[in-house]
Amino acid sequence: MSKIFLEDVKIYAYHGVLPEENIIGTYYILNAELHTDLWKAAETDDLNDTISYADINAIIHQEMEIKSKLLEHVAGRIITRIHENFPQISYIKLKITKTSPPMQGEMKGASIELERSFKPDEH
């Protein structure tokens, strides 16, 4: 199994249940793991034989721009859109961390992680 990772993608966005979260915003850190076959690209050195992580990054940024109450909803949209664009991906794991959640105490962040496996013919 081959994997593509995007690690610690930092994006400023406006998600949350509280109204001020949709106005003030905060930084989010995203980590994605994608499973697909990369062996053809390993042999050909051709971008057409792989999945461009720049394209995955663009999808993540576009979906993060859409305000949502729940990070689960954002993660679900990102995973669905990645799979719609790249049906050869068999598994996607996405972790989203809100760096400044509106809660008591000091913390690095609050995170959710969503993962999904796809059958090869599932589009």
Side-chain angles (χ1 to χ4, degrees):
M1 177 54 57
S2 310
K3 299 175 184 180
I4 296 172
F5 295 92
L6 272 76
E7 299 180 276
D8 295 338
V9 179
K10 189 174 185 180
I11 300 173
Y12 202 88
Y14 302 85
H15 305 297
V17 175
L18 301 176
E20 57 266 28
E21 293 180 284
N22 295 287
I23 297 166
I24 299 167
T26 192
Y27 280 104
Y28 294 82
I29 306 294
L30 288 87
N31 287 276
E33 177 182 332
L34 316 166
H35 295 191
T36 190
D37 187 354
L38 300 175
W39 278 105
K40 187 173 182 184
E43 294 166 3
T44 65
D45 196 27
D46 187 338
L47 182 60
N48 294 316
D49 293 331
T50 190
I51 295 168
S52 167
Y53 45 79
D55 291 343
I56 301 298
N57 186 54
I59 290 170
I60 289 170
H61 275 80
Q62 291 161 9
E63 291 298 326
M64 284 295 289
E65 287 179 12
I66 302 167
K67 291 182 183 181
S68 296
K69 292 177 186 171
L70 302 178
L71 293 182
E72 294 87 342
H73 184 69
V74 180
R77 284 199 329 264
I78 292 169
I79 289 171
T80 298
R81 181 132 174 252
I82 289 171
H83 187 252
E84 286 172 353
N85 283 270
F86 303 100
Q88 66 270 42
I89 294 173
S90 61
Y91 170 83
I92 301 171
K93 178 166 67 173
L94 182 66
K95 179 180 177 183
I96 304 177
T97 301
K98 182 183 282 193
T99 61
S100 298
M103 296 187 288
Q104 259 187 325
E106 191 174 322
M107 67 180 74
K108 186 176 176 182
S111 306
I112 63 100
E113 187 173 83
L114 208 58
E115 56 187 306
R116 186 160 180 201
S117 296
F118 300 94
K119 295 177 184 170
D121 59 347
E122 190 179 315
H123 299 281

